[in-house]
Amino acid sequence: MGFIVIIPARLASTRLPNKPLADLGGKPMVVRVAERAALSGAERVVVATDHLDIAAACAAHGVEAFMTRSDHPSGTDRIAEVARALELDDDAVVVNLQGDEPLIDPSLLAACAARIAADVPMATCAHPLLDASDCFNPNVVKVVLDKNGRALYFSRATIPWHRDAFAQSKDVLPDGYAPLRHIGLYAYSNGFLQAYPGLQAAPIEEAEALEQLRVLWHGYPIAVHITSSAPAAGVDTPEDLERVQKHFAAE
């Protein structure tokens, strides 16, 4: 099944102003992200932005960009506007790739998109956690699955809780226990993507500050593709930016 990638990119950032336009080896970050997405086999890659400077940077490097409203509450709402403007069929598959992932593995996008089915309107990714500190870190989001590889719940808490082992120690993970860390990459059927902005916010979503819980709360399944290891980290801090700039400088 074919898919398209839409990359939401806003200029405003509290920690890294102008992040999408940060220089990575002579190209803006958002362009680097689009280039990675193009390697995934996507039929089309579009940047969704509310700022003319980002649109101009994309145009200068041959990347398709679409101007959106500036008042969207989330990136999901932003890409829904673009998908609607592109007049995609309801069964078209849209991958939501954040604009600060210039080192994303392109195959992960294709694998996520492949999990969309007639009865599964949304998919995401996860990988096993092998470090105890990550398991107990509320900034590391965990997910538990059912037997069919669909999400039962996402949480900042340590799930599943290993009752017996953690009663003894939380410094070392017990053998055979590897919680899954959620990776913030999503795919949707366009029909569901258009319905999503109209879904009521969920109490569990607000408690955990995790937008994907709204989907589960309303009864929609989310398929989860498991990859063996963590993908390259995105860019959230000045330290992240320096790390990624060194990577592209070495190419």
Side-chain angles (χ1 to χ4, degrees):
M1 179 184 293
F3 63 96
I4 78 165
V5 178
I6 303 180
I7 303 167
R10 295 179 64 245
L11 207 57
S13 172
T14 53
R15 285 181 290 187
L16 275 177
N18 301 327
K19 180 166 68 169
L21 299 179
D23 183 85
L24 299 180
K27 294 180 181 179
M29 184 185 305
V30 68
V31 171
R32 292 290 190 184
V33 175
E35 290 176 343
R36 296 293 286 179
L39 298 175
S40 68
E43 297 173 347
R44 190 172 184 179
V45 177
V46 182
V47 172
T49 185
D50 61 355
H51 204 286
L52 289 171
D53 288 353
I54 294 177
C58 290
H61 291 87
V63 173
E64 184 178 6
F66 192 97
M67 291 295 296
T68 70
R69 290 170 18 211
S70 61
D71 59 348
H72 285 302
S74 73
T76 310
D77 296 89
R78 191 175 307 281
I79 71 167
E81 179 189 346
V82 174
R84 187 164 56 251
L86 296 177
E87 299 182 338
L88 301 179
D89 292 338
D90 281 353
D91 61 356
V93 177
V94 178
V95 173
N96 178 358
L97 174 61
Q98 296 305 305
D100 56 5
E101 297 280 355
L103 300 179
I104 191 74
D105 179 357
S107 68
L108 201 58
L109 279 65
C112 188
R115 297 300 304 270
I116 299 298
D119 61 339
V120 183
M122 183 170 168
T124 189
C125 302
H127 72 86
L129 283 172
L130 304 176
D131 186 275
S133 63
D134 287 334
C135 292
F136 294 98
N137 182 349
N139 294 317
V140 176
V141 178
K142 276 71 69 174
V143 59
V144 290
L145 311 183
D146 67 11
K147 67 176 184 178
N148 297 313
R150 298 179 182 181
L152 287 170
Y153 193 66
F154 297 86
S155 183
R156 298 181 181 279
T158 306
I159 55 172
W161 183 262
H162 201 298
R163 187 195 64 175
D164 295 340
F166 293 156
Q168 302 299 319
S169 172
K170 298 184 182 69
D171 296 327
V172 179
L173 298 182
D175 291 341
Y177 174 81
L180 294 173
R181 171 186 171 245
H182 176 232
I183 299 169
L185 175 71
Y186 298 101
Y188 321 83
S189 69
N190 183 49
F192 175 73
L193 180 60
Q194 297 309 318
Y196 175 85
L199 296 180
Q200 174 190 349
I204 54 173
E205 167 195 1
E206 294 173 342
E208 295 257 19
L210 295 175
E211 184 181 320
Q212 64 270 30
L213 287 173
R214 182 183 312 181
V215 178
L216 297 183
W217 192 78
H218 282 276
Y220 294 96
I222 301 176
V224 182
H225 168 74
I226 305 299
T227 184
S228 60
S229 58
V235 178
D236 289 320
T237 67
E239 292 74 22
D240 291 335
L241 179 58
E242 183 179 359
R243 168 180 52 81
V244 173
Q245 285 175 329
K246 287 179 179 177
H247 169 88
F248 283 100
E251 285 191 340

